């Protein structure tokens, strides 16, 4: 029986050399773009949901792990993004409703593609399709990872290392290193190196760019149980991010993956953008016309009612006076009859 460990599971050299997606024909460059865009969706959606950075980082690491065990062709990106974000909210004890996560991820996708940012109805077919993708995505992530969703992140280590190296008083180094740790979430680095190595790589590059010296006797990275070669590899991965640009139109479903293979995905997105904008314009125009009609009818009814009330006011007052006089006469007549009755009924003995 293997020893229980809370360390992050790392990908094997064979998995890194050729992932399941690459074995099914996807190029390494395009797979990296797909992974990066999935992490972008998680980060942007989590920011809108006001989630802690730990939740968003955990979801991105789970996504990176998953795609070393399964292919993007078999499990499209959108369902895994929804599933990992939903799962990370639960593991980090910051639960969110299914509807909130679906709506926010959908809004981010629409914003990237230039679609009208209209929230999906909770009872239409589109919403139920996204909900099914989320449930299936979460189930597949748990199954492929064998329910090992433990994620150790380098944020705490980074803060301790900066304090130990007396870099907390530096103007730029701490913030720059923190940014590098966040940027690396969109790369497979978190599946290839342990957190202490990632923290050391971020500090190494930040100190180098700010021209701040670090102790070499003994080597500072060795004190933190990191390997010099690995630290340099992490720094190279950070620098490679600056030259990478990820397009905001990526295939998110099996249907869109097929369109991408046929080279018609961009055309499909442009057509959908036009149709959705035309539909929204028509709905807004119809709503504006109905509002104008309602305001016109309401104004006419109010004018007519005011006219009737003004004309009927003297009549109503006369009617009230006539009614009052009639009641007064009736009471006088009734009172006299009562007195006559009492007098007539009295008989002295």
């Amino acid at each position: 029986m293997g020893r229980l460990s809370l360390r992050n599971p790392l990908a094997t050299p064979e998995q890194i050399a050729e992932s399941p997606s690459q074995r099914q024909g996807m190029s390494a460059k395009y797979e990296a773009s797909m992974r990066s865009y999935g992490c972008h969706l998680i980060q942007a959606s989590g920011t809108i949901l006001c989630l802690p950075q730990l939740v968003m980082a955990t979801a991105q690491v789970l996504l990176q792990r998953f795609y070393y065990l399964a292919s993007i062709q078999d499990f499209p990106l959108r369902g895994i993004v929804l599933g990992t974000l939903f799962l990370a909210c639960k593991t980090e004890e910051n639960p969110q409703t299914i509807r909130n996560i679906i709506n926010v991820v959908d809004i981010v996708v629409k914003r990237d593609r230039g679609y009208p940012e209209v929230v999906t109805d909770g009872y239409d077919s589109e919403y139920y399709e996204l909900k099914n993708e989320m449930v299936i995505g979460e189930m597949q992530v748990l199954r492929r990872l064998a329910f090992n969703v433990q994620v150790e992140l380098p944020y705490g280590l980074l803060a301790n290392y900066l304090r130990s190296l007396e870099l907390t008083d530096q103007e730029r180094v701490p913030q720059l290193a923190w940014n590098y740790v966040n940027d690396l979430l969109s790369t497979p680095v978190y599946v290839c190196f342990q957190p202490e190595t990632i923290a050391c790589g971020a500090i190494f590059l930040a100190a180098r760019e700010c021209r701040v010296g670090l102790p070499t006797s003994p080597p500072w990275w060795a004190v933190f149980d990191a390997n010099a070669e690995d630290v340099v590899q992490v720094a190279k991965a950070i620098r490679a991010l600056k030259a990478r640009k990820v397009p905001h139109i990526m295939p998110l479903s099996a249907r869109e993956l097929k369109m991408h293979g046929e080279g018609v995905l961009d055309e499909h997105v442009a057509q959908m953008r036009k149709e959705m904008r035309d539909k929204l314009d028509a709905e807004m125009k119809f709503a504006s016309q109905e509002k104008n009609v309602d305001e016109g009818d309401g104004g006419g009814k109010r004018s007519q009612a005011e006219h009737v009330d003004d004309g009927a006011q003297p009549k109503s007052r006369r009617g009230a006076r006539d009614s009052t006089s009639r009641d007064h006469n009736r009471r006088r007549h009734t009172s006299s009859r009562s007195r006559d009755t009492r007098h007539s009924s009295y008989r002295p003995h």
Side-chain angles (χ1 to χ4, degrees):
M1 181 180 293
R3 184 175 57 183
L4 180 64
S5 174
L6 296 179
R7 301 284 286 170
N8 288 341
L10 302 180
T12 63
E14 293 78 13
Q15 290 173 324
I16 296 172
E18 188 179 29
S19 67
S21 300
Q22 295 174 30
R23 286 198 296 269
Q24 294 190 20
M26 183 176 291
S27 66
K29 183 177 179 180
Y30 194 74
E31 182 189 7
S33 297
M34 291 283 287
R35 289 171 177 261
S36 181
Y37 184 68
C39 293
H40 156 72
L41 291 180
I42 292 173
Q43 187 71 32
S45 302
T47 302
I48 296 174
L49 289 168
C50 299
L51 297 176
Q53 180 60 28
L54 291 178
V55 177
M56 296 181 280
T58 299
Q60 293 175 66
V61 173
L62 293 177
L63 181 140
Q64 296 284 358
R65 288 183 190 173
F66 177 80
Y67 281 126
Y68 276 114
L69 299 170
S71 68
I72 297 176
Q73 294 91 326
D74 292 336
F75 302 98
L77 193 61
R78 184 172 57 191
I80 303 304
V81 167
L82 291 168
T84 52
L85 185 56
F86 186 48
L87 183 59
C89 288
K90 292 190 285 188
T91 59
E92 296 300 323
E93 298 182 355
N94 198 313
Q96 296 289 323
T97 63
I98 293 177
R99 183 168 186 174
N100 284 348
I101 294 176
I102 289 175
N103 286 338
V104 169
V105 173
D106 185 57
I107 285 294
V108 173
V109 172
K110 289 176 178 176
R111 181 179 301 171
D112 289 343
R113 297 187 174 190
Y115 294 167
E117 297 180 16
V118 180
V119 178
T120 57
D121 187 4
Y123 300 98
D124 59 6
S125 59
E126 181 183 3
Y127 174 81
Y128 281 105
E129 181 181 353
L130 293 174
K131 184 177 179 181
N132 288 335
E133 290 182 9
M134 171 188 280
V135 174
I136 294 173
E138 182 191 21
M139 179 184 65
Q140 290 297 332
V141 169
L142 289 172
R143 179 183 177 187
R144 300 284 173 165
L145 298 183
F147 287 82
N148 183 5
V149 292
Q150 165 69 23
V151 177
E152 185 182 357
L153 297 168
Y155 296 110
L157 295 175
L158 178 64
N160 291 332
Y161 294 172
L162 289 170
R163 193 177 298 109
S164 300
L165 295 170
E166 299 181 353
L167 295 174
T168 54
D169 295 332
Q170 291 290 329
E171 184 177 357
R172 294 184 55 212
V173 174
Q175 186 61 52
L176 200 57
W178 191 273
N179 293 343
Y180 288 156
V181 167
N182 286 331
D183 293 341
L184 286 172
L185 289 167
S186 62
T187 70
V189 167
Y190 279 78
V191 190
C192 301
F193 302 100
Q194 292 293 349
E196 57 268 16
T197 303
I198 298 172
C200 288
I203 293 173
F204 170 72
L205 186 58
R208 186 169 183 176
E209 291 194 358
C210 296
R211 297 183 179 181
V212 175
L214 296 173
T216 57
S217 181
W220 64 273
W221 59 84
V223 177
F224 301 136
D225 296 328
N227 182 279
E229 296 180 0
D230 293 342
V231 170
V232 172
Q233 289 297 322
V234 172
K236 289 182 178 179
I238 297 172
R239 283 195 165 179
L241 287 172
K242 298 181 179 180
R244 187 177 67 181
K245 294 182 179 180
V246 179
H248 281 182
I249 298 179
M250 305 294 287
L252 299 177
S253 62
R255 179 168 172 261
E256 292 184 353
L257 279 169
K258 184 178 179 181
M259 290 180 181
H260 171 73
E262 297 171 353
V264 297
L265 179 60
D266 291 344
E267 181 181 351
H268 167 73
V269 170
Q271 180 66 25
M272 288 292 296
R273 185 188 303 124
K274 182 178 182 303
E275 291 179 0
M276 293 178 71
R277 287 179 177 176
D278 292 344
K279 181 180 178 182
L280 181 62
D281 291 341
E283 290 177 352
M284 293 179 65
K285 184 177 180 181
F286 179 75
S288 178
Q289 290 176 352
E290 280 198 337
K291 182 178 179 181
N292 293 335
V293 170
D294 291 342
E295 289 179 352
D297 293 345
K301 290 178 180 179
R302 285 195 298 273
S303 300
Q304 186 177 2
E306 292 172 358
H307 177 70
V308 170
D309 291 342
D310 293 341
Q313 186 174 5
K315 184 177 180 181
S316 62
R317 290 178 180 175
R318 289 195 302 269
R321 288 196 297 269
D322 295 343
S323 176
T324 303
S325 62
R326 285 196 300 269
D327 292 341
H328 180 66
N329 294 333
R330 186 181 299 111
R331 283 195 298 271
R332 290 179 59 190
H333 180 65
T334 305
S335 177
S336 62
R337 289 181 58 191
S338 299
R339 286 194 298 271
D340 295 343
T341 305
R342 284 199 303 272
H343 293 164
S344 61
S345 61
Y346 176 72
R347 293 288 186 273
H349 296 284

